[in-house]
Amino acid sequence: MTSGVLYGLSAYALWGLFPLFFKQLQAASALEVVLHRMVWSLVFVLILLAALRRFGWLADVRRSPALLGKFAVSAVLLAANWLSYIWAVNNGHVLDASLGYFILPLINVALGFVFLHERPRKAQWLAFALAASGVLWMALQSGHVPWLALLIALTFGFYGLMRKVAVLGALEGMSLETLLLAPVALVALLWGRHTGELPAHDAHTWLFFVLSGPVTAIPLLLFAAGARRVPLSTMGILQYITPSILALMGVFLYGETFAGPRAQGFVLIWAALALYTAEGVWAGRRLAARRAAA
């Protein structure tokens, strides 16, 4: 249990600190960063698979076109999430990225209801309504919907849904997604260099391009290790570490404005998350008590 919490804490803290890494790649466009991230992530996971001798799952994938199709969809969603997140970080919208990941748990409730026929409890519906009110308030008061935050939340929410119905281990799933994405990314990078649309970069930028592979994979593997060792409710509480770090960095490190409608909307969403978390803990304890009594 203790080691699982440490794995989970490490994963969510690293995800929260991602802006410090991707800010080093501001010389490149968000699209170019994502293309490199696809390629170098594949290189890193292939090295891991070779070291662990875990290539047997590829035979199962070849025998299941349906599984391959599902992972093709999840790969596109993952790429869209990466692109929107990196664009947000490198264009002064870290708070929007934070908002997206605060909204994400409640998006998951809605997706589970629509696609998996899950039945949220009354308090979960109330939390979802509070969060929706926060987003609506920000849209009405600022004159525009927080599209970037919603895009980040929806792409990762649908990505999680696809990974739930297309089951592979964390390393194998990421390997397959990058295996599908990397050839397209490599062709795009080579074409961009050939046509001159992609600029030349210095050694510092190339170093961070290469490091984007392990930086992408390591938190995911830590998350998988933590999820196997602690209850889902515990991981659900730990997941707020990432957007909390992002919010603090956006305000105190990058000087983004946190006042007016944005602050009021965040308060409503934080209230929704507090209700959602408290209800989840209470429901978990009731279930454990019933099991103990039985």
Side-chain angles (χ1 to χ4, degrees):
M1 180 71 172
T2 303
S3 63
V5 170
L6 290 175
Y7 285 135
L9 280 171
S10 300
Y12 285 120
L14 287 173
W15 279 327
L17 294 172
F18 264 15
L20 296 175
F21 179 88
F22 287 109
K23 285 283 189 182
Q24 303 301 313
L25 291 168
Q26 287 184 301
S29 68
L31 179 59
E32 186 181 4
V33 173
V34 169
L35 295 175
H36 275 283
R37 194 176 180 184
M38 294 172 184
V39 172
W40 296 109
S41 293
L42 177 61
V43 171
F44 183 75
V45 295
L46 287 178
I47 292 171
L48 279 180
L49 288 171
L52 298 172
R53 298 181 181 179
R54 283 167 58 176
F55 288 103
W57 56 273
L58 286 170
D60 297 328
V61 172
R62 286 197 298 268
R63 290 193 294 266
S64 178
L67 182 64
L68 189 61
K70 290 175 182 177
F71 269 93
V73 174
S74 73
V76 171
L77 289 167
L78 183 62
N81 180 263
W82 285 356
L83 182 60
S84 54
Y85 176 83
I86 292 170
W87 189 92
V89 167
N90 286 349
N91 286 273
H93 294 280
V94 174
L95 278 176
D96 285 320
S98 169
L99 176 61
Y101 288 112
F102 273 125
I103 294 172
L104 178 60
L106 304 167
I107 292 290
N108 290 337
V109 171
L111 293 177
F113 173 73
V114 173
F115 293 101
L116 302 178
H117 308 295
E118 297 175 353
R119 292 293 177 265
R121 296 178 291 272
K122 290 181 181 179
Q124 290 177 316
W125 277 123
L126 179 57
F128 183 81
L130 269 175
S133 300
V135 173
L136 181 61
W137 175 258
M138 282 187 279
L140 292 174
Q141 296 300 313
S142 63
H144 64 87
V145 176
W147 290 113
L148 188 56
L150 289 174
L151 181 62
I152 290 171
L154 287 169
T155 51
F156 203 79
F158 275 101
Y159 170 74
L161 176 67
M162 292 305 303
R163 287 302 304 270
K164 189 173 181 66
V165 300
V167 180
L168 273 181
L171 177 58
E172 291 81 1
M174 184 179 179
S175 300
L176 181 54
E177 287 161 351
T178 53
L179 194 60
L180 293 168
L181 293 171
V184 178
L186 185 59
V187 169
L189 287 170
L190 293 174
W191 178 256
R193 293 302 300 272
H194 175 72
T195 59
E197 293 182 12
L198 295 180
H201 295 293
D202 57 19
H204 175 272
T205 301
W206 272 102
L207 173 63
F208 278 85
F209 279 149
V210 174
L211 289 175
S212 67
V215 163
T216 297
I218 288 171
L220 181 63
L221 299 177
L222 287 170
F223 169 80
R228 287 195 299 268
R229 290 169 169 81
V230 299
L232 189 60
S233 59
T234 302
M235 293 301 285
I237 295 171
L238 292 177
Q239 72 181 329
Y240 301 132
I241 293 171
T242 296
S244 298
I245 294 174
L246 289 175
L248 291 171
M249 291 176 67
V251 174
F252 296 108
L253 187 59
Y254 300 121
E256 295 185 26
T257 302
F258 187 73
R262 172 181 273 178
Q264 294 157 1
F266 262 85
V267 168
L268 283 171
I269 291 165
W270 285 333
L273 291 174
L275 173 62
Y276 176 82
T277 303
E279 193 278 340
V281 172
W282 178 77
R285 287 178 177 175
R286 281 191 64 191
L287 179 61
R290 284 200 300 269
R291 287 176 175 172

